[in-house]
Amino acid sequence: MGRRVIVDDEDFTKPMLLGYVRRDLLVTDGQVNQLEREMARFAHAEGFSMGSTYVEKPGTWPAAFEALVESVNRYDVTAIVLPSLLHFAVLGPDIKNIFERATDARVLVLDSP
């Protein structure tokens, strides 16, 4: 479900950023690993410490999503990162806004302009 991505200069005084990925939207497991590295670089560049990336596997929905929401609320996380909004869009209409209102965490996107 969640996998930890370690960044060499991780600073736990920075706010934590969590990731969420839908495995069924990717072709290979290697893409998951690549996205985790990109999310860690994004976190570092944006002033966050990268936490876990929750990977939703086919047939397990909503296990990883629920774990993400629980972690956001438990650890007072202020933001999460997605590879693209498509990874949330498949969860239902307006899920980004619903998630942000329910958790007070911003949804950031790797592919945003």
Side-chain angles (χ1 to χ4, degrees):
M1 203 169 348
R3 292 193 272 168
R4 186 82 175 136
V5 177
I6 303 298
V7 178
D8 289 282
D9 60 347
E10 201 161 14
D11 179 354
F12 292 105
T13 63
K14 295 178 181 177
M16 187 182 345
L17 182 68
L18 300 177
Y20 180 78
V21 174
R22 298 264 324 190
R23 174 59 184 89
D24 55 339
L25 296 177
L26 305 172
V27 177
T28 68
D29 287 333
Q31 287 178 299
V32 173
N33 296 332
Q34 178 62 33
L35 283 172
E36 288 177 324
R37 288 188 298 274
E38 289 176 28
M39 288 177 173
R41 283 191 295 274
F42 176 85
H44 178 72
E46 296 296 320
F48 290 96
S49 176
M50 188 68 202
S52 296
T53 295
Y54 294 85
V55 179
E56 196 76 67
K57 296 180 180 165
T60 66
W61 189 88
F65 180 75
E66 288 176 347
L68 171 70
V69 171
E70 183 180 320
S71 292
V72 166
N73 290 326
R74 176 181 292 152
Y75 301 110
D76 202 26
V77 172
T78 59
I80 67 160
V81 63
L82 308 172
S84 73
L85 282 177
L86 185 59
H87 289 258
F88 250 28
V90 296
L91 300 175
D94 203 33
I95 191 68
K96 176 185 177 289
N97 291 327
I98 293 167
F99 178 86
E100 288 179 333
R101 282 193 307 271
T103 63
D104 288 328
R106 293 178 304 145
V107 175
L108 306 175
V109 181
L110 283 179
D111 72 357
S112 62

